[in-house]
Amino acid sequence: MRAPAFWWRDRPGLAAALLSPVAAVIGGVALRRLGQAGGTVDVPVICIGNPTVGGAGKTPTAIALIERLKARGARPFALLRGHGGKAKAPLRVDPAAHGAADVGDEALLLARHAPTIVAGGDRLGGARLAVAQGASHVVMDDGFQNPSLNKDSALLVIDAGVGVGNGQVTPSGPLRAPLAPQLAKADAVLVIGDGAPGERVAVAARAAGLPVLRGHLAPEPAAIAALEGMPLIAFAGIGRPEKFFATLEACGLTVVARHAFADHHPYRPEEIARLAADAARRGARLVTTQKDHVRLAPEVGDGIATLPVRLVLDGTDALDVLIDRAEARAAARTS
């Protein structure tokens, strides 16, 4: 599903108003879930979430946190639902045996950096499996609004380009629950990129007493160099495909066509064949995101370029406060 355009307007309009009765029910359910106590495990659990539906940069943030934990000598495990995969019960990801259809695209990206557990519908069971297999910390990619597993610290990630849109709860807007109660459950907010919508969320976060971290997604220079001087046909099935297209152009690359798909879109062979035929006619090269690339069949993916990105934080100790807080809370409840 592609997010409707009216979600990202500064103020609610007619469509949002017409959907507000449904949004009130969804928001009420979400608030009750936020207030529920979850089960615990004997290691710190750190959640990387976002207050809105769709992508905001959670997976690059989770990877940055994992790498920071590893630098501190920890053995973190990643934990996520496995959206788009078939797993229904907790499962450790084996990149040699599992594909995106099995465990989801994000799990395959995380598994490049740390042992990764796909929880299916059981995040508490997934965390317990991680601990049983030697995790010193559990890093949750998403799941902030899910009450089944207690979080020792939580970071809400905001895409500065869109913020929280019109500020309404889905389906009237992009929020999963009203913003203020979500901020009350968080320990910090990370604003990725620049933009007035993100600044408005930063103001609200500070007013709620939360620290606001800053960062941006930086493409790998070697990948940029490999794509310079050639026409590109870009395609993406992520939360905001236009952000990927803008990143390519900001790198000085020549994009001659753009194809946007829904988040986690399962590409059919005929779709890729059409894109490849268009590229051949134009003398262009296909390029997509890493998240999209892992959803492609190997026989077609090998010929398609990617533009990997990583999260660059303002301040080298930006994540340490979050880690320290989680460790202190976990120690207090297990002592």
Side-chain angles (χ1 to χ4, degrees):
M1 171 189 168
R2 294 294 305 278
F6 73 83
W7 278 11
W8 308 116
R9 296 172 186 155
D10 289 344
R11 294 179 178 82
L14 177 60
L18 292 174
L19 292 168
S20 61
V22 180
V25 173
I26 292 174
V29 172
L31 285 177
R32 285 194 295 274
R33 285 168 60 81
L34 277 173
Q36 294 173 8
T40 62
V41 292
D42 290 337
V43 303
V45 176
I46 306 172
C47 179
I48 306 299
N50 66 326
T52 59
V53 175
K58 294 187 301 295
T59 298
T61 304
I63 290 170
L65 176 59
I66 285 167
E67 293 301 329
R68 182 60 192 148
L69 283 163
K70 287 160 61 176
R72 289 168 55 130
R75 187 169 187 253
F77 273 52
L79 173 67
L80 71 167
R81 179 181 177 183
H83 185 83
K86 296 179 291 188
K88 303 299 182 186
L91 169 73
R92 180 162 173 173
V93 176
D94 179 357
H98 296 138
D102 303 306
V103 297
D105 46 24
E106 291 152 341
L108 295 176
L109 296 179
L110 288 163
R112 297 174 181 177
H113 297 268
T116 297
I117 304 294
V118 166
D122 184 7
R123 284 187 172 88
L124 177 58
R128 287 172 173 165
L129 177 60
V131 174
Q133 296 197 2
S136 67
H137 298 68
V138 172
V139 175
M140 293 179 65
D141 182 344
D142 208 2
F144 174 78
Q145 294 82 9
N146 186 293
S148 61
L149 176 61
N150 178 73
K151 295 90 173 168
D152 294 300
S153 63
L155 177 66
L156 288 180
V157 181
I158 302 295
D159 176 350
V162 293
V164 295
N166 63 14
Q168 303 300 297
V169 173
T170 186
S172 290
L175 283 169
R176 303 187 193 203
L179 180 60
Q182 293 197 75
L183 293 176
K185 284 285 185 178
D187 293 280
V189 167
L190 167 63
V191 178
I192 297 180
D194 300 306
E199 288 304 313
R200 288 194 286 271
V201 181
V203 169
R206 291 194 195 96
L210 295 180
V212 176
L213 313 182
R214 301 281 180 167
H216 64 277
L217 296 177
E220 292 185 4
I224 297 172
L227 296 172
E228 288 177 338
M230 66 180 71
L232 302 172
I233 293 179
F235 67 97
I238 57 176
R240 279 214 302 137
E242 58 274 14
K243 184 165 64 172
F244 172 62
F245 307 147
T247 298
L248 290 168
E249 294 177 332
C251 292
L253 302 174
T254 303
V255 181
V256 297
R258 302 157 188 79
H259 298 273
F261 296 86
D263 198 11
H264 302 285
H265 179 73
Y267 293 103
R268 300 188 300 274
E270 58 269 25
E271 290 173 325
I272 301 302
R274 284 196 296 269
L275 291 172
D278 189 25
R281 284 193 299 270
R282 296 171 181 253
R285 186 170 185 189
L286 293 176
V287 61
T288 191
T289 71
Q290 283 188 304
K291 182 177 169 182
D292 287 280
H293 197 269
V294 298
R295 298 201 300 277
L296 301 175
E299 60 269 21
V300 297
D302 288 345
I304 297 174
T306 63
L307 186 69
V309 297
R310 64 185 181 91
L311 177 66
V312 178
L313 290 163
D314 298 349
T316 56
D317 61 347
L319 296 175
D320 285 318
V321 172
L322 198 71
I323 296 169
D324 292 342
R325 181 170 296 182
E327 290 177 344
R329 287 173 174 167
R333 60 181 170 73
T334 57
S335 59

